[in-house]
Amino acid sequence: ALTVTSYANRTSPVIRGHWILENILGTPPPPPPPNIPTLEEVAVAADLPIRERLAAHREKAACATCHNVMDPVGFALENYDAVGQWREFEFGAAVDATGGVPDGSEFVGIEGLEDKILARPELFVRTLAEKLLTYGLGRGIEPSDAPAVRDIVRTAEGDGYRFSSLVEALVTSPPFTQRMSAPQN
């Protein structure tokens, strides 16, 4: 995921933050507002460090709506370069991996992000349950699946969020056991 959420020559806290919010925490940022300016209109000096460039970008109200949520989470992974290799320095300066989550609390690095995720395991487990159910059903999650997802998470919670409990609850859930087979051609 680190390489996929980077550009060829540099990291992208924005893309990484969006990925974590959507795929790990299940809380994607809001969609961009309709009046979002083009990138050319909000260009920031390319010679600034990425943290300063993004801070300048967030000063624009239309950009801040999404970036205030995505950027802080993505900064937690800054110790990993564009190909996922650990680094402590970039361009001779120490990497600043201070990050944050949408509730406003801050942390440092991947360990801090892990602690935040572990403090609210139900968010991660719900997201994992939805992704596994999507795969198992061969379709996206629908509003009618929400009660089953809640039951799957509650069942897993009762067993310490064990993966085996999550999978067992999923394969015995009504959406999975009552799914319709695709017509055979």
Side-chain angles (χ1 to χ4, degrees):
L2 293 169
T3 302
V4 173
T5 57
S6 295
Y7 293 111
N9 60 344
R10 69 172 178 84
T11 63
S12 175
V14 176
I15 298 171
R16 287 178 173 180
H18 186 278
W19 192 91
I20 291 167
L21 289 169
E22 186 166 335
N23 294 294
I24 302 293
L25 299 176
T27 55
N35 60 343
I36 194 79
T38 65
L39 286 176
E40 291 78 26
E41 295 174 50
V42 294
V44 177
D47 60 341
L48 290 174
I50 190 68
R51 190 174 284 273
E52 291 177 29
R53 290 173 64 194
L54 289 173
H57 189 75
R58 286 191 308 272
E59 288 176 3
K60 290 146 181 69
C63 303
T65 305
C66 298
H67 286 274
N68 282 342
V69 175
M70 292 184 295
D71 298 358
V73 176
F75 282 129
L77 301 177
E78 275 300 284
N79 280 117
Y80 296 96
D81 68 12
V83 294
Q85 188 172 14
W86 183 262
R87 63 185 179 167
E88 295 189 20
F89 296 94
E90 181 181 34
F91 305 118
V95 170
D96 181 359
T98 304
V101 288
D103 71 6
S105 60
E106 289 189 348
F107 55 87
V108 177
I110 191 70
E111 296 87 6
L113 177 59
E114 181 182 8
D115 290 344
K116 289 294 180 186
I117 292 169
L118 291 174
R120 298 278 315 273
E122 71 281 356
L123 294 177
F124 172 72
V125 174
R126 184 195 72 227
T127 303
L128 180 59
E130 288 174 353
K131 299 218 177 277
L132 289 172
L133 194 57
T134 297
Y135 179 78
L137 297 176
R139 65 167 173 80
I141 298 297
E142 298 172 1
S144 60
D145 297 320
V149 171
R150 286 191 299 271
D151 287 344
I152 292 166
V153 172
R154 266 193 298 271
T155 299
E157 178 185 22
D159 196 18
Y161 293 113
R162 291 175 51 107
F163 185 72
S164 58
S165 297
L166 177 72
V167 172
E168 184 176 343
L170 188 140
V171 299
T172 58
S173 70
F176 191 84
T177 59
Q178 298 170 9
R179 70 190 185 284
M180 301 291 286
S181 298
Q184 301 296 319
N185 291 334

